[in-house]
Amino acid sequence: MSTRLAGCLGCLLRDAAGALLVVVIAPPALCQVSGSIALVSDYRFRGVSLSDEQPALQLNLEYDRDDGWYAGGFVSSAQVNEDEPAAAQLVAYAGYARRLSSGWGWEVGATKSVFLQAAGYDYAELFVGMSAENISARLYFSPNYFGRDGESIYAEFNGAYPLRQHLRLLGHIGFLRPLSRRDDASSLLFDTRLGVSADIDHWNLIIAWISSEGQHAEYRYRDRHRNAGILTVSYSF
Amino acid sequence: MNKLALCKFILLLMPILCAGISVPAAADSEIDATIDAAIDSRAPEHHVLVMLHLPPLHFRPDANYASGYGDGHGRHARRRIAAELARAYGLRLVGDWPMPLLGVDCFVMQVPASESPSRVATLLEHDARTEWAQPMGVFHMLGHNDPLYPVQPSAKYWHLADLHTVTTGRAVRVAVIDSGVDDGHPDLLGQVALRENFIDGNPYAREAHGTAVAGIIAARADNGIGISGVAPNARLMALRACWQESADSTDTTRCSSFTLAKALHFAIMHEALVINLSLTGPSDRLLQRLLDVALARGIKVIGAIDPDSPGGGFPASYPGVWAVAGALPKGDGINVATNALTAPGNDIPTTLPGGRWGFVSGSSYAAAHVAGLAALLTELQRSLTPSQVRARLLASAPEPIALRMAGTINTCALVTWAAGTCPCLCAATHALATNQRP
């Protein structure tokens, strides 16, 4: 496992550096640049492991403008399939978010996900969402989900419940469904997550249980473990 | 379900949850821990509030779903910006509070004593990194938190809380020549500047009449207990020249020419500006001579009218002394001389010995009200002669309901005249309001 992790780190640094430069430009004074580094025990994306159930290192950098526009980049070590080499996933995203006087906010944006050294899994997504202080809902549309020639939609609902200061209960449920007629129309994958998040100064700990059910043809992964406990340690700056 | 995975999950969960639950306050960020210590609630005027843009919550690819504004991403970025601003302008960052409703994160910064907060705020406003900046404002209460304040007639009819926004009788020495004052009473703590006993062979005692009069004049305001005196910042001189013969009733409180003269002499020598004589008796040559000296020195002398005595009794009827009667509800049948003042004297809540409070009635207590008012006016205009002030008092016309319930003095008009600013509903607007009442 340690050699694999080292390999991941290597590709992360080598291939992601160039892409990251795009994001890490000197920001104008009106922008806020923030970021975080995280170590996760298993990079689970919508219920599916993208790190072959191995730990992954992640970096997120983002800048927010005063007018509601935001953009960011996310890099993670990844291994979509045990047959594929260790790779890095790079996600570039941008969007516009607006807060309404009622306390709710809406947003619209797009993401582009690129898997370095593992061709054929790249995809783009558009999303719209609504959020309030402790809950959010988003709907995503992808024309080529994980490189497949078919459209998919993903809907998710997230919630956080404050247990005490700096300690929260997190919940998430999501549904992934192909829109292409070629695939089985009843194919639906849903994933859930329940966890606890603790904030200690710049650090954040999340311990969560994820679970997924259903089948989805877009995922070319080994259907080994549907449920897993995940530990995430991150540092924000 | 994989049992091994589940066991691992549970084993991981326990210590993490315990760590989360037992995280002590000291582990909070440096800024959080210093908020209460650093924000000096005694000097909020030395701080500025700096607003930084608070972005709305939005999508992020990493795993931290639905983070709130307080702990979420971007908070450290904003604190970094705030720390840079503090360094750049020579301020000390003290704390912050996100305000999603306004789309800002509000940072508190301490301004050095040599700088002006409003100047610093203006400079910060022009910095592109801030949404806006302002000096920290300081607000004060209107009205008093003394629980019995609402039942004090002076509260409602004399608009006491409003008067106190411009004057509290600060540093005005008021001599209470009376029976003993309980200066250990919680509502009188620190109000009695000096205490003297002029009765030989009768040691100082805490007596009802003196304590009641002292409380009406200068009971502490806003101490959360009891009443508020008319002049809560006046300095009382508790001069015991009278004694209570019976423990049961103040009706048996007695004074003699000798004890009163000693007390009066002392009061004048020790620079009292107001002397309260809530007592009555026969005309007395010795006391008249002393009163002449006091009046010549511009000391305001207040006397209580004796309803049973023609002319009002002595010293109330003595020329130059402000004679005061209690304002009783109409139909009482008492004739009050045209040069008499009337003030609240019925069912007055006040301090009583032994840390108690009770209701008192009588012109003694009306006089005490006027003594307090005299102290208020003296703080504003020390140079006016007593006769000038008294003429003004007699000329003031309160609104009808106050006239009926609390006497002939329009305290708002008086204080407006003495202070130059109107602390209460001013006469014109109030007249408008009363005219509109059916």
Side-chain angles (χ1 to χ4, degrees), chain A residues 25-49:
Chain A
I25 51 174
L30 292 170
C31 294
Q32 294 175 8
V33 176
S34 54
S36 65
I37 299 177
L39 184 65
V40 291
S41 61
D42 180 358
Y43 176 20
R44 289 267 170 166
F45 179 72
R46 298 175 184 174
V48 174
S49 177

Side-chain angles (χ1 to χ4, degrees), chain B residues 42-407:
Chain B
R42 286 165 296 159
E45 58 274 6
H46 288 302
H47 293 81
V48 288
L49 299 174
V50 184
M51 315 299 166
L52 297 185
H53 176 67
L54 179 68
L57 295 169
H58 60 71
F59 165 81
R60 257 193 6 255
D62 67 357
N64 195 2
Y65 295 111
S67 57
Y69 286 103
D71 301 327
H73 227 247
R75 185 174 189 227
H76 303 292
R78 290 191 296 278
R79 282 190 166 175
R80 236 187 356 264
I81 295 172
E84 281 163 21
L85 282 167
R87 257 194 308 276
Y89 291 88
L91 310 172
R92 189 164 78 95
L93 181 59
V94 169
D96 78 303
W97 194 269
M99 303 207 184
L101 293 175
L102 298 176
V104 294
D105 197 347
C106 175
F107 285 86
V108 184
M109 298 191 193
Q110 190 176 32
V111 176
S114 53
E115 273 286 350
S116 142
S118 43
R119 195 184 88 86
V120 170
T122 312
L123 286 172
L124 282 163
E125 279 257 343
H126 290 109
D127 194 306
R129 290 170 283 185
T130 66
E131 290 260 327
W132 88 79
Q134 62 175 74
M136 179 96 85
V138 184
F139 295 80
H140 59 273
M141 301 297 105
L142 293 169
H144 291 304
N145 68 14
D146 310 88
L148 290 175
Y149 178 79
V151 297
Q152 291 176 238
S154 56
K156 186 171 176 186
Y157 302 112
W158 274 21
H159 309 286
L160 209 55
D162 292 334
L163 302 184
H164 289 166
T165 61
V166 297
T167 172
T168 51
R170 185 178 300 279
V172 176
R173 297 189 125 200
V174 178
V176 175
I177 300 181
D178 210 301
S179 61
V181 173
D182 181 2
D183 55 352
H185 192 293
D187 225 355
L188 289 171
L189 277 177
Q191 304 300 86
V192 178
L194 56 82
R195 188 184 89 173
E196 287 291 332
N197 181 23
F198 297 98
I199 309 164
D200 293 330
N202 189 331
Y204 197 91
R206 295 171 168 79
E207 289 157 322
H209 197 268
T211 306
V213 165
I216 290 167
I217 297 172
R220 291 170 64 185
D222 293 323
N223 57 347
I225 55 170
I227 60 167
S228 165
V230 174
N233 280 334
R235 307 301 296 139
L236 289 173
M237 297 163 68
L239 306 176
R240 183 171 180 260
C242 308
W243 61 93
Q244 195 173 314
E245 283 179 350
S246 152
D248 301 331
S249 153
T250 58
D251 289 347
T252 56
T253 305
R254 298 278 179 269
C255 335
S256 74
S257 308
F258 187 50
T259 56
L260 287 173
K262 285 193 285 186
L264 202 44
H265 191 275
F266 183 95
I268 301 167
M269 289 289 286
H270 286 81
E271 291 159 5
L273 293 172
V274 178
I275 298 176
N276 186 77
L277 295 163
S278 286
L279 45 94
T280 192
S283 274
D284 190 288
R285 185 172 168 184
L286 176 58
L287 293 175
Q288 283 172 352
R289 296 282 290 272
L290 286 166
L291 285 172
D292 287 338
V293 174
L295 294 165
R297 289 191 180 199
I299 300 173
K300 300 171 184 72
V301 182
I302 324 289
I305 287 177
D306 179 3
D308 298 329
S309 171
F314 179 84
S317 58
Y318 194 68
V321 171
W322 299 7
V324 185
L328 296 165
K330 236 186 206 174
D332 188 75
I334 298 240
N335 285 326
V336 177
T338 49
N339 65 345
L341 301 160
T342 51
N346 217 37
D347 296 333
I348 310 297
T350 187
T351 48
L352 290 175
R356 297 177 297 123
W357 289 267
F359 288 93
V360 293
S361 296
S363 55
S364 287
Y365 310 107
H369 276 83
V370 176
L373 181 61
L376 294 180
L377 295 170
T378 305
E379 184 197 331
L380 295 170
Q381 296 271 7
R382 262 177 205 245
S383 53
L384 289 166
T385 65
S387 47
Q388 281 175 315
V389 180
R390 188 231 203 137
R392 203 82 204 193
L393 273 161
L394 286 165
S396 70
E399 58 264 28
I401 181 125
L403 176 68
R404 209 166 57 239
M405 300 302 292

Side-chain angles (χ1 to χ4, degrees), chain A residues 4-142:
Chain A
R4 242 189 204 171
L5 190 59
C8 289
L9 280 169
C11 63
L12 197 103
L13 290 168
R14 192 182 62 241
D15 296 313
L20 274 176
L21 275 171
V22 174
V23 182
V24 188
I25 51 174
L30 292 170
C31 294
Q32 294 175 8
V33 176
S34 54
S36 65
I37 299 177
L39 184 65
V40 291
S41 61
D42 180 358
Y43 176 20
R44 289 267 170 166
F45 179 72
R46 298 175 184 174
V48 174
S49 177
L50 291 184
S51 63
D52 198 28
E53 298 174 6
Q54 298 302 319
L57 191 64
Q58 303 179 333
L59 170 70
N60 190 71
L61 280 173
E62 150 183 313
Y63 76 100
D64 291 272
R65 284 161 54 114
D66 279 2
D67 55 9
W69 287 95
Y70 64 90
F74 169 83
V75 182
S76 174
S77 58
Q79 179 152 14
V80 288
N81 193 307
E82 67 172 1
D83 303 322
E84 301 277 355
Q89 182 195 27
L90 192 69
V91 179
Y93 62 99
Y96 177 79
R98 196 177 178 80
R99 200 187 282 108
L100 303 169
S101 54
S102 59
W104 282 84
W106 60 267
E107 59 173 326
V108 62
T111 71
K112 169 75 180 177
S113 178
V114 169
F115 285 89
L116 307 170
Q117 289 188 330
Y121 294 92
D122 300 353
Y123 70 98
E125 261 189 337
L126 288 170
F127 64 86
V128 293
M130 290 207 66
S131 59
E133 169 106 22
N134 286 320
I135 56 178
S136 66
R138 262 177 224 109
L139 187 66
Y140 303 77
F141 168 80
S142 173

